[in-house]
Coordinates of all heavy atoms in Angstrom, one line a residue:
M1 N 29.9 -24.0 0.8 CA 30.5 -22.6 0.7 C 31.2 -22.3 2.0 O 30.6 -22.4 3.0 CB 29.3 -21.7 0.4 CG 29.8 -20.3 0.1 SD 28.4 -19.1 -0.3 CE 27.9 -19.8 -1.8
S2 N 32.5 -21.9 1.9 CA 33.2 -21.6 3.1 C 32.9 -20.2 3.6 O 31.8 -19.9 4.0 CB 34.7 -21.9 2.9 OG 35.1 -21.2 1.7
A3 N 33.9 -19.3 3.5 CA 33.7 -17.9 3.9 C 32.8 -17.2 3.0 O 32.9 -17.2 1.8 CB 35.1 -17.2 4.0
T4 N 31.8 -16.5 3.7 CA 30.8 -15.8 2.9 C 30.7 -14.3 3.4 O 31.2 -14.0 4.4 CB 29.4 -16.5 3.0 OG1 29.0 -16.4 4.4 CG2 29.4 -17.9 2.5
K5 N 30.0 -13.6 2.5 CA 29.7 -12.2 2.9 C 28.3 -11.9 2.4 O 27.8 -12.5 1.4 CB 30.7 -11.2 2.3 CG 30.7 -11.2 0.7 CD 31.8 -10.2 0.2 CE 31.8 -10.2 -1.3 NZ 32.8 -9.3 -1.8
P6 N 27.6 -10.9 3.0 CA 26.3 -10.6 2.5 C 26.3 -9.7 1.2 O 27.2 -8.9 1.1 CB 25.7 -9.8 3.7 CG 26.8 -9.3 4.4 CD 28.0 -10.2 4.2
Y7 N 25.4 -10.0 0.3 CA 25.3 -9.2 -0.9 C 23.9 -8.7 -1.0 O 22.9 -9.5 -0.9 CB 25.6 -10.0 -2.1 CG 25.4 -9.3 -3.4 CD1 26.5 -8.6 -4.0 CD2 24.2 -9.4 -4.1 CE1 26.3 -7.9 -5.2 CE2 24.0 -8.7 -5.3 CZ 25.1 -8.0 -5.8 OH 24.9 -7.3 -7.0
S8 N 23.7 -7.4 -1.0 CA 22.4 -6.8 -1.1 C 21.8 -6.8 -2.5 O 22.4 -6.3 -3.4 CB 22.4 -5.3 -0.6 OG 22.8 -5.2 0.8
L9 N 20.6 -7.4 -2.6 CA 19.9 -7.4 -3.9 C 19.1 -6.2 -3.9 O 18.2 -6.0 -3.0 CB 19.0 -8.7 -4.0 CG 19.7 -10.0 -3.9 CD1 18.7 -11.1 -3.6 CD2 20.4 -10.2 -5.2
T10 N 19.4 -5.2 -4.7 CA 18.6 -3.9 -4.7 C 17.7 -3.8 -5.9 O 18.0 -4.3 -7.0 CB 19.6 -2.7 -4.7 OG1 20.5 -2.8 -5.8 CG2 20.5 -2.7 -3.4
A11 N 16.7 -3.0 -5.7 CA 15.7 -2.7 -6.8 C 16.4 -1.8 -7.8 O 16.9 -0.7 -7.5 CB 14.5 -2.1 -6.3
P12 N 16.5 -2.2 -9.1 CA 17.1 -1.4 -10.1 C 16.2 -0.2 -10.5 O 15.0 -0.2 -10.3 CB 17.3 -2.4 -11.3 CG 16.2 -3.3 -11.1 CD 15.9 -3.5 -9.6
A13 N 16.9 0.8 -11.1 CA 16.2 1.9 -11.7 C 15.7 1.5 -13.1 O 16.5 1.1 -13.9 CB 17.1 3.1 -11.8
V14 N 14.4 1.5 -13.3 CA 13.8 1.0 -14.5 C 12.8 2.1 -15.0 O 11.9 2.4 -14.2 CB 13.1 -0.3 -14.4 CG1 12.5 -0.8 -15.7 CG2 14.1 -1.4 -13.9
I15 N 13.0 2.7 -16.1 CA 12.2 3.9 -16.6 C 10.7 3.6 -16.6 O 10.0 4.4 -16.0 CB 12.7 4.3 -18.0 CG1 14.1 4.9 -17.8 CG2 11.8 5.4 -18.5 CD1 14.8 5.2 -19.1
N16 N 10.3 2.5 -17.1 CA 8.9 2.2 -17.2 C 8.2 1.9 -15.9 O 7.0 1.7 -15.7 CB 8.5 1.2 -18.3 CG 9.2 -0.1 -18.0 OD1 10.2 -0.2 -17.4 ND2 8.6 -1.2 -18.6
F17 N 9.0 1.7 -14.8 CA 8.5 1.4 -13.5 C 8.4 2.7 -12.6 O 8.1 2.7 -11.5 CB 9.4 0.4 -12.7 CG 9.3 -1.0 -13.2 CD1 8.4 -1.3 -14.3 CD2 10.0 -2.0 -12.6 CE1 8.4 -2.7 -14.7 CE2 9.9 -3.3 -13.0 CZ 9.1 -3.6 -14.1
E18 N 8.7 3.9 -13.2 CA 8.6 5.2 -12.6 C 9.5 5.1 -11.3 O 10.6 4.8 -11.3 CB 7.2 5.6 -12.3 CG 6.5 5.8 -13.6 CD 5.1 6.3 -13.4 OE1 4.7 6.8 -12.3 OE2 4.3 6.3 -14.4
D19 N 8.9 5.5 -10.2 CA 9.7 5.6 -8.9 C 9.8 4.2 -8.2 O 10.7 4.0 -7.4 CB 9.1 6.6 -8.0 CG 9.2 8.0 -8.6 OD1 10.2 8.3 -9.3 OD2 8.4 8.8 -8.3
A20 N 8.8 3.4 -8.4 CA 8.9 2.1 -7.6 C 8.2 1.0 -8.4 O 7.2 1.3 -9.1 CB 8.2 2.3 -6.3
A21 N 8.7 -0.2 -8.2 CA 8.1 -1.4 -8.7 C 7.4 -2.1 -7.6 O 7.6 -1.7 -6.4 CB 9.1 -2.2 -9.4
K22 N 6.8 -3.2 -7.8 CA 6.3 -4.1 -6.8 C 6.9 -5.4 -7.0 O 7.1 -5.8 -8.1 CB 4.7 -4.2 -6.8 CG 4.0 -3.0 -6.3 CD 2.5 -3.3 -6.1 CE 1.9 -2.1 -5.4 NZ 0.4 -2.3 -5.3
V23 N 7.1 -6.1 -5.9 CA 7.6 -7.5 -6.0 C 6.3 -8.3 -6.3 O 5.3 -8.3 -5.6 CB 8.2 -8.0 -4.6 CG1 8.5 -9.4 -4.7 CG2 9.4 -7.2 -4.3
K24 N 6.5 -9.0 -7.5 CA 5.4 -9.8 -7.9 C 5.4 -11.2 -7.3 O 4.4 -11.7 -6.8 CB 5.4 -9.9 -9.4 CG 4.2 -10.8 -10.0 CD 4.2 -10.7 -11.5 CE 3.0 -11.5 -12.0 NZ 3.0 -11.5 -13.5
Q25 N 6.6 -11.8 -7.3 CA 6.8 -13.2 -6.8 C 8.2 -13.4 -6.4 O 9.1 -13.0 -7.2 CB 6.3 -14.2 -7.8 CG 6.4 -15.6 -7.4 CD 5.8 -16.6 -8.4 OE1 5.5 -16.1 -9.5 NE2 5.8 -17.8 -8.1
W26 N 8.5 -14.1 -5.3 CA 9.8 -14.7 -5.0 C 9.8 -16.1 -5.4 O 8.9 -16.9 -5.2 CB 10.0 -14.6 -3.5 CG 10.5 -13.2 -3.0 CD1 9.8 -12.2 -2.6 CD2 11.9 -12.8 -3.0 NE1 10.6 -11.1 -2.3 CE2 11.9 -11.5 -2.5 CE3 13.1 -13.4 -3.4 CZ2 13.1 -10.7 -2.4 CZ3 14.3 -12.7 -3.2 CH2 14.3 -11.4 -2.7
F27 N 11.0 -16.5 -6.0 CA 11.2 -17.9 -6.4 C 12.2 -18.6 -5.5 O 12.2 -19.8 -5.4 CB 11.7 -18.0 -7.9 CG 10.7 -17.4 -8.8 CD1 10.8 -16.1 -9.3 CD2 9.6 -18.2 -9.3 CE1 9.9 -15.6 -10.2 CE2 8.7 -17.7 -10.1 CZ 8.8 -16.4 -10.6
A28 N 12.9 -17.8 -4.7 CA 13.9 -18.3 -3.7 C 13.2 -18.1 -2.4 O 12.5 -17.1 -2.1 CB 15.2 -17.6 -3.8
V29 N 13.5 -19.0 -1.5 CA 13.0 -18.9 -0.1 C 14.3 -18.7 0.8 O 15.4 -19.1 0.5 CB 12.2 -20.1 0.4 CG1 10.9 -20.2 -0.5 CG2 13.0 -21.4 0.3
E30 N 14.0 -18.1 2.0 CA 15.1 -18.0 2.9 C 15.8 -19.3 3.3 O 15.1 -20.3 3.5 CB 14.6 -17.2 4.2 CG 14.2 -15.8 3.9 CD 13.7 -15.1 5.1 OE1 13.4 -15.7 6.1 OE2 13.6 -13.8 5.0
G31 N 17.1 -19.3 3.2 CA 17.8 -20.5 3.5 C 18.1 -21.4 2.3 O 18.9 -22.3 2.4
A32 N 17.5 -21.1 1.2 CA 17.8 -21.9 0.0 C 19.1 -21.6 -0.7 O 19.6 -20.5 -0.7 CB 16.6 -21.6 -1.0
R33 N 19.7 -22.6 -1.2 CA 20.9 -22.5 -2.0 C 20.5 -22.1 -3.4 O 19.6 -22.7 -4.0 CB 21.7 -23.8 -2.1 CG 22.4 -24.1 -0.8 CD 23.4 -25.3 -0.9 NE 24.0 -25.6 0.3 CZ 25.1 -24.9 0.8 NH1 25.6 -24.0 0.1 NH2 25.6 -25.3 2.0
V34 N 21.2 -21.1 -4.0 CA 20.9 -20.7 -5.4 C 22.2 -20.7 -6.2 O 23.3 -20.7 -5.7 CB 20.3 -19.3 -5.4 CG1 18.9 -19.2 -4.7 CG2 21.2 -18.2 -4.9
K35 N 22.0 -20.9 -7.5 CA 23.1 -20.9 -8.4 C 23.1 -19.5 -9.2 O 22.1 -18.9 -9.4 CB 23.0 -22.0 -9.4 CG 23.0 -23.4 -8.8 CD 24.5 -23.7 -8.5 CE 24.6 -25.2 -8.1 NZ 25.9 -25.5 -7.6
K36 N 24.3 -19.2 -9.7 CA 24.4 -18.0 -10.5 C 23.4 -18.0 -11.6 O 23.2 -19.1 -12.3 CB 25.8 -17.8 -11.1 CG 26.0 -16.6 -11.9 CD 27.4 -16.4 -12.4 CE 27.4 -15.1 -13.2 NZ 28.7 -14.9 -13.8
D37 N 22.7 -16.9 -11.8 CA 21.6 -16.7 -12.9 C 20.3 -17.4 -12.6 O 19.4 -17.3 -13.4 CB 22.1 -17.2 -14.3 CG 23.2 -16.3 -14.8 OD1 23.2 -15.1 -14.5 OD2 24.1 -16.8 -15.5
D38 N 20.1 -18.0 -11.4 CA 18.8 -18.5 -11.0 C 17.9 -17.3 -10.8 O 18.3 -16.2 -10.4 CB 18.8 -19.2 -9.6 CG 19.3 -20.6 -9.7 OD1 19.6 -21.1 -10.8 OD2 19.5 -21.3 -8.6
R39 N 16.6 -17.4 -11.2 CA 15.6 -16.4 -11.1 C 15.3 -16.4 -9.6 O 14.8 -17.3 -9.0 CB 14.4 -16.6 -11.9 CG 13.4 -15.5 -11.8 CD 12.4 -15.7 -12.9 NE 11.7 -16.9 -12.9 CZ 10.6 -17.2 -13.5 NH1 10.0 -16.3 -14.2 NH2 10.0 -18.4 -13.4
L40 N 15.5 -15.2 -8.9 CA 15.2 -15.1 -7.5 C 13.8 -14.5 -7.3 O 13.1 -14.9 -6.4 CB 16.3 -14.2 -6.8 CG 17.7 -14.7 -6.9 CD1 18.6 -13.7 -6.2 CD2 17.8 -16.0 -6.2
L41 N 13.5 -13.5 -8.1 CA 12.2 -12.8 -7.9 C 11.8 -12.0 -9.2 O 12.7 -11.9 -10.0 CB 12.2 -11.8 -6.7 CG 13.0 -10.5 -6.9 CD1 12.3 -9.4 -6.2 CD2 14.4 -10.7 -6.3
T42 N 10.6 -11.6 -9.2 CA 10.1 -10.9 -10.4 C 9.5 -9.6 -9.8 O 8.7 -9.6 -8.8 CB 9.0 -11.6 -11.1 OG1 9.6 -12.8 -11.7 CG2 8.5 -10.8 -12.3
L43 N 9.8 -8.5 -10.5 CA 9.3 -7.2 -10.2 C 8.2 -6.8 -11.2 O 8.4 -7.2 -12.4 CB 10.3 -6.1 -10.2 CG 11.4 -6.2 -9.1 CD1 12.5 -5.1 -9.3 CD2 10.9 -6.1 -7.7
T44 N 7.2 -6.0 -10.9 CA 6.2 -5.6 -11.8 C 5.9 -4.1 -11.7 O 6.1 -3.6 -10.6 CB 4.9 -6.5 -11.7 OG1 4.0 -6.0 -12.7 CG2 4.3 -6.3 -10.3
D45 N 5.4 -3.5 -12.7 CA 4.9 -2.1 -12.6 C 3.5 -2.1 -12.2 O 2.9 -1.0 -12.1 CB 5.2 -1.3 -13.9 CG 4.4 -1.9 -15.1 OD1 3.7 -2.9 -14.9 OD2 4.6 -1.3 -16.2
G46 N 2.9 -3.2 -12.0 CA 1.4 -3.3 -11.7 C 0.5 -3.5 -12.9 O -0.7 -3.7 -12.7
Y47 N 1.1 -3.4 -14.1 CA 0.3 -3.5 -15.3 C 0.8 -4.7 -16.0 O 0.5 -5.9 -15.7 CB 0.4 -2.2 -16.2 CG -0.1 -1.0 -15.4 CD1 0.8 -0.1 -14.8 CD2 -1.5 -0.8 -15.3 CE1 0.3 1.0 -14.2 CE2 -2.0 0.3 -14.6 CZ -1.1 1.2 -14.0 OH -1.6 2.2 -13.3
R48 N 1.7 -4.5 -17.0 CA 2.2 -5.7 -17.8 C 3.7 -5.9 -17.7 O 4.1 -7.0 -17.9 CB 1.8 -5.4 -19.3 CG 0.4 -5.5 -19.6 CD 0.1 -5.2 -21.0 NE -1.2 -5.6 -21.4 CZ -1.6 -6.3 -22.4 NH1 -0.7 -6.7 -23.2 NH2 -2.8 -6.6 -22.6
S49 N 4.4 -4.8 -17.5 CA 5.9 -5.0 -17.5 C 6.4 -5.8 -16.3 O 5.9 -5.6 -15.1 CB 6.5 -3.6 -17.4 OG 6.2 -2.9 -18.6
V50 N 7.3 -6.7 -16.5 CA 7.9 -7.5 -15.5 C 9.4 -7.5 -15.7 O 9.9 -7.3 -16.8 CB 7.4 -8.9 -15.4 CG1 5.9 -8.9 -15.0 CG2 7.6 -9.6 -16.7
L51 N 10.1 -7.7 -14.6 CA 11.6 -7.7 -14.7 C 12.1 -8.8 -13.7 O 11.7 -8.8 -12.5 CB 12.2 -6.4 -14.3 CG 13.7 -6.4 -14.2 CD1 14.4 -6.5 -15.6 CD2 14.2 -5.0 -13.6
D52 N 12.8 -9.8 -14.2 CA 13.3 -10.8 -13.3 C 14.6 -10.4 -12.7 O 15.5 -9.8 -13.4 CB 13.6 -12.1 -14.1 CG 12.3 -12.8 -14.5 OD1 11.3 -12.7 -13.8 OD2 12.4 -13.6 -15.5
I53 N 14.8 -10.6 -11.4 CA 16.1 -10.4 -10.7 C 16.7 -11.7 -10.6 O 16.1 -12.7 -10.0 CB 15.9 -9.7 -9.4 CG1 15.1 -8.4 -9.5 CG2 17.2 -9.5 -8.7 CD1 15.8 -7.3 -10.3
R54 N 18.0 -11.9 -11.1 CA 18.6 -13.2 -11.0 C 19.8 -13.1 -10.1 O 20.4 -12.0 -9.8 CB 19.1 -13.5 -12.4 CG 17.9 -13.7 -13.4 CD 18.3 -14.3 -14.7 NE 17.2 -14.6 -15.5 CZ 16.5 -15.7 -15.5 NH1 16.9 -16.6 -14.7 NH2 15.4 -15.9 -16.3
A55 N 20.2 -14.3 -9.6 CA 21.4 -14.4 -8.7 C 22.6 -14.0 -9.4 O 22.9 -14.5 -10.5 CB 21.5 -15.8 -8.1
P56 N 23.4 -13.1 -8.8 CA 24.7 -12.6 -9.4 C 25.8 -13.7 -9.3 O 26.8 -13.6 -9.9 CB 25.0 -11.4 -8.7 CG 24.4 -11.6 -7.3 CD 23.1 -12.3 -7.6
A57 N 25.6 -14.6 -8.3 CA 26.6 -15.6 -8.0 C 25.9 -16.8 -7.3 O 24.8 -16.6 -6.8 CB 27.7 -15.0 -7.1
D58 N 26.6 -17.9 -7.1 CA 26.1 -19.0 -6.3 C 26.1 -18.4 -4.8 O 26.9 -17.6 -4.4 CB 27.1 -20.2 -6.3 CG 27.2 -20.9 -7.6 OD1 26.4 -20.5 -8.5 OD2 28.0 -21.8 -7.8
G59 N 25.1 -18.9 -4.1 CA 25.0 -18.4 -2.7 C 23.8 -19.0 -2.0 O 23.2 -20.0 -2.4
I60 N 23.5 -18.4 -0.8 CA 22.4 -18.8 0.0 C 21.5 -17.6 0.3 O 22.0 -16.5 0.6 CB 22.9 -19.4 1.4 CG1 23.8 -20.6 1.1 CG2 21.7 -19.7 2.3 CD1 24.5 -21.1 2.3
M61 N 20.2 -17.8 0.0 CA 19.3 -16.7 0.3 C 19.1 -16.5 1.8 O 18.5 -17.3 2.4 CB 17.9 -17.0 -0.4 CG 17.0 -15.9 -0.5 SD 17.5 -14.7 -1.7 CE 17.1 -13.2 -0.8
E62 N 19.8 -15.5 2.3 CA 19.8 -15.3 3.7 C 18.4 -14.7 4.2 O 17.9 -15.2 5.2 CB 20.9 -14.4 4.2 CG 20.9 -14.2 5.7 CD 22.1 -13.3 6.2 OE1 22.2 -12.2 5.6 OE2 22.8 -13.8 7.1
S63 N 18.0 -13.6 3.6 CA 16.7 -13.0 4.1 C 16.0 -12.3 2.9 O 16.6 -11.8 2.0 CB 17.0 -12.0 5.2 OG 17.9 -11.0 4.8
I64 N 14.7 -12.2 3.1 CA 13.9 -11.4 2.2 C 13.4 -10.2 2.9 O 12.9 -10.3 4.0 CB 12.7 -12.3 1.7 CG1 13.2 -13.4 0.8 CG2 11.7 -11.5 0.9 CD1 12.2 -14.5 0.4
M65 N 13.6 -9.0 2.3 CA 13.3 -7.8 3.0 C 12.0 -7.2 2.5 O 11.3 -6.5 3.2 CB 14.4 -6.8 2.8 CG 15.8 -7.3 3.1 SD 16.0 -7.7 4.8 CE 16.5 -6.1 5.4
V66 N 11.7 -7.4 1.2 CA 10.4 -6.8 0.6 C 9.7 -8.0 0.0 O 10.2 -8.8 -0.9 CB 10.8 -5.8 -0.6 CG1 9.5 -5.3 -1.2 CG2 11.6 -4.7 0.0
Y67 N 8.5 -8.2 0.5 CA 7.7 -9.4 0.2 C 6.7 -9.2 -1.0 O 6.5 -8.0 -1.4 CB 6.9 -9.9 1.4 CG 7.7 -10.4 2.5 CD1 8.2 -9.5 3.5 CD2 8.2 -11.7 2.5 CE1 9.0 -10.0 4.5 CE2 9.0 -12.2 3.5 CZ 9.4 -11.3 4.5 OH 10.3 -11.8 5.5
A68 N 6.2 -10.2 -1.6 CA 5.3 -10.1 -2.7 C 4.1 -9.2 -2.4 O 3.6 -9.2 -1.3 CB 4.7 -11.5 -3.1
G69 N 3.9 -8.3 -3.4 CA 2.8 -7.3 -3.2 C 3.3 -6.0 -2.6 O 2.5 -5.0 -2.7
E70 N 4.5 -6.0 -2.1 CA 5.0 -4.7 -1.5 C 5.8 -3.9 -2.5 O 6.4 -4.5 -3.5 CB 5.9 -5.0 -0.3 CG 5.2 -5.7 0.9 CD 6.1 -6.0 2.0 OE1 7.3 -6.1 1.9 OE2 5.6 -6.2 3.1
E71 N 5.8 -2.6 -2.3 CA 6.5 -1.7 -3.2 C 8.0 -1.8 -3.0 O 8.5 -2.1 -1.9 CB 6.1 -0.2 -3.0 CG 4.8 0.1 -3.6 CD 4.6 1.6 -3.8 OE1 5.5 2.4 -3.4 OE2 3.6 2.0 -4.4
A72 N 8.7 -1.7 -4.1 CA 10.2 -1.7 -4.1 C 10.8 -0.5 -4.7 O 11.1 -0.5 -5.9 CB 10.7 -3.0 -4.8
P73 N 10.9 0.6 -4.0 CA 11.5 1.8 -4.6 C 12.9 1.6 -5.1 O 13.6 0.7 -4.6 CB 11.5 2.8 -3.4 CG 10.6 2.3 -2.4 CD 10.6 0.8 -2.6
T74 N 13.3 2.3 -6.2 CA 14.6 2.2 -6.7 C 15.7 2.3 -5.6 O 15.6 3.2 -4.8 CB 14.8 3.3 -7.8 OG1 13.9 3.1 -8.8 CG2 16.2 3.3 -8.4
G75 N 16.6 1.3 -5.6 CA 17.7 1.3 -4.7 C 17.4 0.6 -3.4 O 18.3 0.4 -2.6
S76 N 16.1 0.3 -3.1 CA 15.8 -0.4 -1.9 C 16.3 -1.8 -1.9 O 16.5 -2.5 -2.9 CB 14.3 -0.4 -1.6 OG 13.6 -1.2 -2.6
V77 N 16.7 -2.3 -0.7 CA 17.2 -3.7 -0.5 C 16.0 -4.7 -0.5 O 15.2 -4.6 0.3 CB 18.0 -3.8 0.7 CG1 18.5 -5.3 0.9 CG2 19.2 -2.9 0.7
L78 N 16.0 -5.5 -1.5 CA 15.0 -6.5 -1.7 C 15.2 -7.8 -0.8 O 14.3 -8.4 -0.3 CB 14.8 -6.9 -3.1 CG 14.6 -5.8 -4.1 CD1 14.8 -6.3 -5.6 CD2 13.2 -5.2 -3.9
G79 N 16.5 -8.1 -0.7 CA 16.9 -9.3 0.0 C 18.4 -9.3 0.2 O 19.1 -8.6 -0.4
I80 N 18.8 -10.3 1.0 CA 20.3 -10.5 1.2 C 20.7 -11.9 0.8 O 20.0 -12.9 1.2 CB 20.7 -10.3 2.7 CG1 20.2 -8.9 3.2 CG2 22.1 -10.5 3.0 CD1 20.9 -7.7 2.6
L81 N 21.7 -11.9 0.0 CA 22.2 -13.2 -0.5 C 23.6 -13.4 0.1 O 24.4 -12.4 0.0 CB 22.3 -13.2 -2.1 CG 22.7 -14.4 -2.8 CD1 21.7 -15.5 -2.6 CD2 22.9 -14.1 -4.3
L82 N 23.9 -14.5 0.6 CA 25.3 -14.8 1.1 C 26.0 -15.4 -0.1 O 25.6 -16.4 -0.7 CB 25.3 -15.8 2.3 CG 24.6 -15.3 3.6 CD1 24.6 -16.4 4.6 CD2 25.3 -14.1 4.1
V83 N 27.2 -14.7 -0.4 CA 28.0 -15.1 -1.5 C 29.4 -15.4 -1.0 O 29.8 -15.0 0.1 CB 28.0 -14.1 -2.6 CG1 26.6 -13.9 -3.2 CG2 28.6 -12.7 -2.1
A84 N 30.2 -16.0 -1.8 CA 31.6 -16.3 -1.5 C 32.3 -15.0 -1.1 O 32.1 -14.0 -1.8 CB 32.3 -17.0 -2.6
E85 N 33.2 -15.0 -0.1 CA 34.0 -13.9 0.3 C 34.7 -13.2 -0.9 O 34.9 -12.0 -1.0 CB 34.9 -14.3 1.4 CG 35.7 -13.1 2.0 CD 34.8 -12.2 2.9 OE1 34.0 -12.8 3.6 OE2 35.0 -11.0 2.8
S86 N 35.2 -14.1 -1.8 CA 36.0 -13.6 -3.0 C 35.1 -12.9 -4.1 O 35.7 -12.3 -5.0 CB 36.7 -14.7 -3.6 OG 35.8 -15.7 -4.0
Y87 N 33.8 -13.0 -4.0 CA 32.9 -12.4 -5.0 C 33.0 -10.9 -5.1 O 32.9 -10.3 -4.1 CB 31.5 -12.9 -4.8 CG 30.5 -12.2 -5.8 CD1 30.5 -12.6 -7.2 CD2 29.7 -11.2 -5.5 CE1 29.7 -12.0 -8.1 CE2 28.9 -10.6 -6.4 CZ 28.9 -11.0 -7.7 OH 28.1 -10.4 -8.6
T88 N 33.2 -10.4 -6.3 CA 33.1 -9.0 -6.6 C 32.2 -8.8 -7.8 O 32.4 -9.4 -8.8 CB 34.5 -8.4 -6.9 OG1 35.3 -8.7 -5.8 CG2 34.4 -6.9 -7.1
D89 N 31.1 -8.0 -7.7 CA 30.2 -7.9 -8.8 C 30.9 -7.0 -9.9 O 31.8 -6.3 -9.7 CB 28.8 -7.3 -8.4 CG 28.8 -5.9 -7.9 OD1 29.7 -5.1 -8.2 OD2 27.9 -5.6 -7.1
D90 N 30.4 -7.1 -11.1 CA 31.0 -6.5 -12.3 C 31.1 -5.0 -12.1 O 32.1 -4.4 -12.4 CB 30.2 -6.8 -13.6 CG 30.3 -8.2 -14.0 OD1 31.3 -8.9 -13.5 OD2 29.4 -8.7 -14.7
A91 N 30.1 -4.3 -11.6 CA 30.1 -2.9 -11.4 C 31.2 -2.5 -10.4 O 32.0 -1.5 -10.7 CB 28.8 -2.3 -11.0
Q92 N 31.3 -3.2 -9.3 CA 32.3 -2.9 -8.3 C 33.7 -3.1 -8.9 O 34.6 -2.4 -8.7 CB 32.1 -3.7 -7.1 CG 32.9 -3.3 -5.9 CD 32.6 -4.1 -4.7 OE1 32.1 -5.2 -4.8 NE2 32.7 -3.5 -3.5
R93 N 33.9 -4.3 -9.6 CA 35.2 -4.6 -10.2 C 35.6 -3.6 -11.2 O 36.8 -3.2 -11.2 CB 35.1 -6.0 -10.8 CG 36.4 -6.5 -11.3 CD 36.3 -8.0 -11.8 NE 35.2 -8.3 -12.6 CZ 34.2 -9.1 -12.2 NH1 34.3 -9.7 -11.1 NH2 33.2 -9.4 -13.1
D94 N 34.7 -3.1 -12.1 CA 35.0 -2.1 -13.1 C 35.4 -0.8 -12.4 O 36.3 -0.1 -12.9 CB 33.8 -1.9 -14.0 CG 33.6 -3.1 -14.9 OD1 34.5 -4.0 -15.0 OD2 32.5 -3.2 -15.5
W95 N 34.8 -0.5 -11.3 CA 35.1 0.8 -10.7 C 36.4 0.8 -10.0 O 37.2 1.7 -10.0 CB 34.0 1.1 -9.6 CG 34.2 2.3 -8.8 CD1 33.9 3.6 -9.2 CD2 34.8 2.5 -7.5 NE1 34.2 4.5 -8.3 CE2 34.8 3.8 -7.2 CE3 35.3 1.6 -6.6 CZ2 35.3 4.3 -6.0 CZ3 35.8 2.1 -5.4 CH2 35.8 3.4 -5.2
Q96 N 36.8 -0.4 -9.5 CA 38.1 -0.5 -8.8 C 39.3 -0.6 -9.8 O 40.4 -0.3 -9.4 CB 38.2 -1.8 -8.0 CG 37.2 -1.7 -6.8 CD 37.1 -3.0 -6.0 OE1 37.5 -4.1 -6.6 NE2 36.6 -3.0 -4.9
N97 N 39.1 -0.9 -11.1 CA 40.1 -0.9 -12.1 C 40.4 0.4 -12.7 O 39.8 1.2 -13.0 CB 39.8 -2.0 -13.1 CG 40.0 -3.4 -12.5 OD1 40.8 -3.6 -11.6 ND2 39.2 -4.3 -13.0

């Protein structure tokens, strides 16, 4: 991967998780190469509900900010993924058009 930029993996707003979820498990480790749609981590509400967070693009897992067992409030940065400089996520691309 040549030129890269950081991409913040943020905790999504999920109704059944109320204000915050917890990180159940990370599947990616810092420094690991990941492919688009790889499962990076799982969030839980502490009971039964789980939500997988997947890689939006090929990249390198630069850092983990919220570790397993820690709370992840909606919008908090869970980790940083280095992606290609040319990458634009769907929400950002739709907003720009």
